[in-house]
Amino acid sequence: METTGVRRSLTWLLLTWGVTRLLLLLVVFKVYVFPGPDVTSDVSVIYQGWYDVLRTGTFPQSDVTWQYPPAAALAILSPALLPFLEYTQAFFLMAFAADLAALLLLLYAGLRPGRRLRGAWVWVAGVPLLGPTVYSRYDVMVTAVAVAAVLAAARHPKVAGALVGFGALLKVWPALILVGIRRRSVWASAGVTVAVVAGLFSVAMPGAFAFLTFQRERGTEVESLGSLVFHIARHHGWNGSVLLNYGSVEFLGPWVTAVSTAALALTGMAFGLLLLWRLAATRFEAHTAADAALVAVLMFTTTSRVISPQYMVWLVGLAAACLCFRGSRMGVPAAMVLMACFVTVLEFPIWFADIVGSTPRGITLLIARNGLLVLATVIGMRELWKATVHKPAPALPAPDQTEAPAQEASASS
């Protein structure tokens, strides 16, 4: 009976994945036009421009929008594996392949004894909720690597460490997976991978670490938590501006530096809270690494100066990895992430003009999306703490010494 139920669920899951991914491909290939601005232009203009530079054996050192670790070059160059297609077409198919790889990993994990398919369902449902943005950014490739690392942590620690290290060199954030891992072999493997891969890039391609200097003058991105200050302030006389800056649409003007500094301070506080949890945690189970990774990425995403729509792909992937484990306590945060994905596609790309213009509809969408992320972060951290931090047993009251003689006298009589 149970096997029949699993087969039925698997059939519906694969059918849903196939239909939704076909629709995504039809949209990015422009068979159907998705509402709002064309999100695929980043591939045809920015990514392809980087591709032309990277093919010459160097990084785009003069382009301040290149803000990625050196292994990101592999993602940008990946369409070369399909030389018979144009760059944009090949990129969409490589993103599709990464999506499929993540699904297969989640299915493999979910079908093991003691696991469940709910994680795969989160991935199947969450990705299309974000619309064509998923296949128009290389974040889905990074997320597939991160999902593989989280799922390998319990049984293949050295492989997990190598994947974490490689993922960190693709887009930094997968390094947060290490927060919930105690095995030294994972940390050592990650460190060796980073050292070897980074060393190879620094020797082979000039400008491998130029990206480190391209983040200094960033403002506050219009979709971030801190941006709500300026969206509301614009209706009360704030005279700043909204401009394309360092690859994203940002607020620039009075008090932006202060709000950006506050966001960095919040990120520092998040790191401090994670460190406190790590020192206090005593119970680590098979699902703890996945739960901690989701909470850590939620904390750093929510407090960031930038919350680009593609960041939601990270959260969907980690939420899916969590829910492969029966013992995971991330069910509510995962549901909130899925709801936030739906609101995200409404604010970008569908009504992005309202976001840029700080209209009531745009502000409402941002409050809803960012509010869901804040709630998911708070609930996730609370559940992680409750599941892993051992509460000391209450001390038993000391026996009353005055009652002892009376009890002895009663016994002797």
Side-chain angles (χ1 to χ4, degrees):
M1 190 70 179
E2 183 178 351
T3 303
T4 302
V6 170
R7 288 178 178 174
R8 186 181 298 113
S9 178
L10 184 59
T11 300
W12 279 107
L13 188 149
L14 294 175
L15 180 62
T16 304
W17 184 86
V19 171
T20 54
R21 274 38 177 197
L22 175 60
L23 290 175
L24 282 178
L25 287 173
L26 291 174
V27 169
V28 294
F29 279 103
K30 295 188 172 59
V31 176
Y32 297 109
V33 177
F34 200 79
D38 180 14
V39 301
T40 66
S41 61
D42 278 11
V43 178
S44 58
V45 177
I46 299 176
Y47 282 15
Q48 188 160 5
W50 290 340
Y51 174 80
D52 292 336
V53 174
L54 290 166
R55 286 173 58 192
T56 66
T58 185
F59 285 88
Q61 302 176 65
S62 59
D63 187 350
V64 295
T65 62
W66 175 263
Q67 300 170 12
Y68 309 108
L74 300 178
I76 303 303
L77 290 169
S78 63
L81 296 173
L82 302 173
F84 48 88
L85 295 175
E86 295 181 359
Y87 181 84
T88 54
Q89 297 173 339
F91 185 89
F92 298 145
L93 291 181
M94 295 304 297
F96 170 82
D99 179 4
L100 176 59
L103 174 69
L104 294 176
L105 288 167
L106 292 164
L107 286 176
Y108 177 77
L111 291 172
R112 293 182 60 82
R115 305 288 182 87
R116 55 187 178 183
L117 287 173
R118 197 162 67 156
W121 272 111
V122 169
W123 181 255
V124 168
V127 167
L129 283 177
L130 292 168
T133 301
V134 177
Y135 284 0
S136 303
R137 307 289 187 272
Y138 84 90
D139 295 80
V140 66
M141 303 175 188
V142 185
T143 303
V145 174
V147 167
V150 169
L151 296 177
R155 303 178 72 243
H156 306 286
K158 291 182 179 180
V159 173
L163 289 168
V164 169
F166 182 67
L169 288 175
L170 280 171
K171 208 166 186 180
V172 180
W173 69 264
L176 293 171
I177 295 170
L178 293 173
V179 168
I181 296 177
R182 290 191 300 178
R183 291 191 180 187
R184 294 181 180 179
S185 56
V186 178
W187 286 75
S189 178
V192 170
T193 302
V194 168
V196 171
V197 176
L200 289 174
F201 271 107
S202 62
V203 170
M205 297 179 69
F209 296 95
F211 76 98
L212 294 172
T213 64
F214 291 162
Q215 295 265 358
R216 295 176 182 173
E217 302 300 325
R218 296 209 66 159
T220 296
E221 194 257 344
V222 295
E223 297 163 274
S224 65
L225 184 63
S227 74
L228 287 168
V229 174
F230 301 110
H231 282 294
I232 295 171
R234 291 174 86 182
H235 292 276
H236 296 85
W238 182 73
N239 60 354
S241 57
V242 177
L243 297 172
L244 182 62
N245 186 52
Y246 288 88
S248 64
V249 180
E250 301 178 350
F251 282 112
L252 299 174
W255 300 104
V256 171
T257 301
V259 171
S260 297
T261 302
L264 291 173
L266 283 174
T267 301
M269 292 171 63
F271 179 80
L273 182 56
L274 284 171
L275 180 60
L276 178 62
W277 165 78
R278 189 64 179 78
L279 294 173
T282 57
R283 294 195 297 267
F284 285 78
E285 301 179 63
H287 58 84
T288 302
D291 289 359
L294 175 61
V295 171
V297 176
L298 269 169
M299 294 175 78
F300 281 83
T301 300
T302 304
T303 60
S304 175
R305 292 176 295 173
V306 179
I307 306 181
S308 295
Q310 61 266 28
Y311 292 10
M312 299 300 299
V313 185
W314 316 344
L315 300 175
V316 171
L318 292 176
C322 288
L323 295 194
C324 286
F325 299 91
R326 289 188 181 275
S328 175
R329 302 179 66 153
M330 294 296 125
V332 173
M336 289 183 170
V337 165
L338 292 180
M339 288 188 284
C341 287
F342 176 69
V343 181
T344 296
V345 80
L346 295 179
E347 60 94 354
F348 184 88
I350 295 178
W351 286 314
F352 192 59
D354 289 273
I355 303 297
V356 175
S358 301
T359 68
R361 178 165 59 186
I363 294 173
T364 301
L365 287 172
L366 282 182
I367 291 174
R369 196 280 300 274
N370 293 344
L372 284 166
L373 291 180
V374 170
L375 279 175
T377 303
V378 172
I379 293 172
M381 187 68 233
R382 185 191 66 183
E383 293 299 320
L384 180 65
W385 190 280
K386 287 168 60 178
T388 57
V389 177
H390 177 70
K391 292 183 179 180
L396 295 175
D400 190 346
Q401 299 298 326
T402 61
E403 295 181 2
Q407 292 172 355
E408 292 175 2
S410 175
S412 61
S413 64

